[in-house]
Amino acid sequence: MERGASLVGFCDLGFAPVPEQPDLHYAVSIAVRLSDAVLKTISDKPSFTYFHHYRTANAKLDSVAFDISEKIMESGYNAFPVAASQSLGKNQPYNGVLPHKTAAVLSGLGFVGKSGLFLSAKYGSKIRLATVLTDMPLEAQSPVLENACGACTVCRDACPAGAIFGLPPQKDGTRNFDPEKCSKYMKEHFMDTGRGSVCGICIRVCPYNKLR
Ligand code: SF4
Ligand code: SF4
């Protein structure tokens, strides 16, 4: 936390996301908080300010994850920082090495909302996430939290792409939101303000976030 993270949690993923590193099945989940004031500048499209804020949060997360990795390696263990925002290329455009929300949920930091976003118990979805994989044995300090969206469907109703199904996460792992629709809409409508990769409407409208 003293390195600038807003939230930090630990867990044993129970699987190793990097095939070449089968011992790296523990994870440090890191979150940085986004600004309420900046999120309020999002309307029916992202703002230039939010776009910059989003990228700055990612850069900060990558820096914190780098520092944590160095600390872990200094302790004699291996570490693999997973970038805050990442795509594995044309074949897996919507996937990184690991969904950060998987580590965040298993660390007890929050739950996955109907928006498909991770909602931290403390800050809701007004955060960005990164993860460090390691072979340093780590135990979750809090139990996994259940989805707390209740009957709310505000994000589904507000999403201009129709990408949110309005369902809690499915037990069989089926997605409750369509990343392809989301991405297509952003590329078609938000090239000017979000470079086709940032929107934020589902964060802006979520009542769980209690924007001040
Ligand atoms: S980021 Fe925008 S387009 Fe994508 S799911 Fe959220 S509201 Fe819909
Ligand atoms: S807007 Fe409502 S349904 Fe969507 S993530 Fe937030 S609390 Fe859940």
Side-chain angles (χ1 to χ4, degrees), residues 113-115 119 147-149 152-156 202 205-208:
K114 291 182 186 176
S115 56
L119 274 73
N147 173 282
C149 291
C152 178
T153 56
V154 168
C155 54
R156 181 199 66 185
C202 47
V205 299
C206 177
Y208 195 91

Side-chain angles (χ1 to χ4, degrees), residues 13-51:
L13 294 167
F15 64 97
V18 183
E20 298 85 357
Q21 296 284 349
D23 294 333
L24 305 190
H25 56 88
Y26 298 100
V28 183
S29 177
I30 311 150
V32 299
R33 182 183 180 179
L34 299 173
S35 155
D36 287 35
V38 171
L39 289 169
K40 280 193 162 185
T41 66
I42 299 168
S43 56
D44 59 348
K45 60 183 179 186
S47 65
F48 288 110
T49 306
Y50 174 60
F51 176 70

Side-chain angles (χ1 to χ4, degrees), residues 57-77:
N58 285 348
K60 177 169 178 171
L61 277 166
D62 288 342
S63 171
V64 173
F66 196 94
D67 287 351
I68 290 174
S69 297
E70 280 195 327
K71 275 279 172 204
I72 291 172
M73 290 187 288
E74 277 168 20
S75 302
Y77 294 95

Side-chain angles (χ1 to χ4, degrees), residues 46 50 115-117 155-156 158-164 177-179 181-183 185-186 190 197-203 205:
Y50 174 60
S115 56
L117 296 169
C155 54
R156 181 199 66 185
C159 173
I164 297 172
F177 116 107
D178 185 336
K181 269 190 176 175
C182 168
S183 175
Y185 190 92
M186 291 193 290
F190 301 151
S197 61
V198 173
C199 165
I201 292 171
C202 47
I203 301 176
V205 299

Side-chain angles (χ1 to χ4, degrees), residues 112-195:
V112 176
K114 291 182 186 176
S115 56
L117 296 169
F118 175 76
L119 274 73
S120 61
K122 192 165 182 188
Y123 302 119
S125 58
K126 50 188 181 184
I127 53 166
R128 296 282 306 153
L129 293 166
T131 311
V132 176
L133 303 172
T134 180
D135 52 1
M136 174 187 269
L138 298 168
E139 273 183 34
Q141 290 162 323
S142 310
V144 170
L145 300 175
E146 290 294 318
N147 173 282
C149 291
C152 178
T153 56
V154 168
C155 54
R156 181 199 66 185
D157 302 340
C159 173
I164 297 172
F165 307 152
L167 301 168
Q170 303 298 289
K171 295 220 183 305
D172 64 2
T174 314
R175 286 185 193 273
N176 61 353
F177 116 107
D178 185 336
E180 198 173 344
K181 269 190 176 175
C182 168
S183 175
K184 190 164 179 282
Y185 190 92
M186 291 193 290
K187 285 187 173 56
E188 287 174 0
H189 296 85
F190 301 151
M191 281 310 288
D192 56 343
T193 47
R195 307 265 172 92

